Amino acid sequence: MIPVAFDYVRPSTVDEAVAALASDEDAKVLAGGQSLLPVLRLRLAAPTVLVDLGAVPGLTGARLDGGDLVIGAMTTHAEVAAHPLVREHAPLLAVAAGTVGDRQVRHRGTLGGSLAHADPAADLPAVAAALDAVYEVQGPSGRRTIPAADFAVDLFTTALAPDEVIVGVRVPAAAGWATHYEKFHRTAQAWAIVGVAVAVQRSNGTIGEARVALTNMGPVPHRARGVEAALAGAPATADAVAAACSSVADGTDPVDDLSASADYRRELARVLTTRAVCRALGV
């Protein structure tokens, strides 16, 4: 299907991009285009203006800033997966980025684009939630930050204003944390039926602290706070992990669709969370 007609703007600064968005309420940001272009072709979106961020400098790469790792929003999934700073300081994000789509998608899709699209089946929003990441965004009033936990507010809906863009993602360095990302999908490159992002710390044979976030278990990434509390202080053993993860689906709102029933997703979340925590701990 052919998209509806639209104007195309390719700004050279973030300020120009923000101004273009503010000038038209039906404008849309074009980052990697791996989510937006299929929607345009199906005419599920009909923007009057596309604001292409591809020529804006300073929105790619990764750097250390104090105790945080800062990643540019236009950094592709392939670059995130391969970047030595990401692999060292946020290995969970590097591993998850390497599982997104196929090779072509990973070389075109961007970190900021995936987060802003807020697809509940996307891998990276749950990973960002598990890492306590913070999004740096810019609008007409300047820059502000939005914690990952507060960013997704509903299905494909975020706290980002229509005239704001994500410019970077700030992740606390993961020193002392063991991490793992586990997901299940029916075919290679397909969306995750369920995904689990896990970060844990050991403390003298027990689990000192844990973070668990779920993909595709509701309209927004789900932070499993009950499981995190159950894991904290528990022995670092497979049996203790299984017991703590048994209630991981509590508070979730999975859907019934052609890929899986809601009950199947709940059981899958339990199995994958147990596996992910055990693999992170090496038990």
Side-chain angles (χ1 to χ4, degrees), residues 3 21 42 46 65 67 73 79 87 102 105 112 143 151-152 161 165 170 179 186 212 215 217 238 242 256 265 278 283:
L21 291 171
L42 293 172
D65 182 21
E79 291 167 340
R87 294 169 69 90
D102 55 24
V105 168
R143 293 202 177 190
F151 186 74
V165 295
R170 183 174 291 267
T179 60
R186 292 192 304 168
V212 178
T215 291
M217 286 295 289
D256 286 299
R265 282 191 164 91
C278 286
V283 298

Side-chain angles (χ1 to χ4, degrees), residues 10-25:
R10 189 172 171 85
S12 57
T13 67
V14 176
D15 287 337
E16 290 178 4
V18 169
L21 291 171
S23 67
D24 192 319
E25 64 180 8

Side-chain angles (χ1 to χ4, degrees), residues 59-187:
L59 296 184
T60 60
R63 60 183 173 84
L64 292 176
D65 182 21
D68 295 338
L69 175 69
V70 182
I71 308 169
M74 288 292 287
T75 308
T76 67
H77 305 313
E79 291 167 340
V80 170
H83 200 291
L85 286 179
V86 182
R87 294 169 69 90
E88 179 180 357
H89 298 285
L92 177 61
L93 182 58
V95 169
T99 73
V100 174
D102 55 24
R103 187 183 300 270
Q104 291 87 343
V105 168
R106 291 193 294 272
H107 280 273
R108 293 294 302 174
T110 63
L111 174 61
S114 176
L115 298 175
H117 186 56
D119 190 323
D123 300 290
L124 302 186
V127 173
L131 293 175
D132 284 336
V134 174
Y135 304 158
E136 298 179 341
V137 307
Q138 184 168 333
S141 300
R143 293 202 177 190
R144 67 184 180 112
T145 59
I146 306 174
D150 300 329
F151 186 74
V153 297
D154 205 343
L155 185 69
F156 297 110
T157 306
T158 73
L160 199 66
D163 53 3
E164 289 182 319
V165 295
I166 300 177
V167 296
V169 179
R170 183 174 291 267
V171 182
W177 290 86
T179 60
H180 188 73
Y181 185 67
E182 189 85 21
K183 71 176 178 178
F184 180 80
H185 43 192
R186 292 192 304 168
T187 59

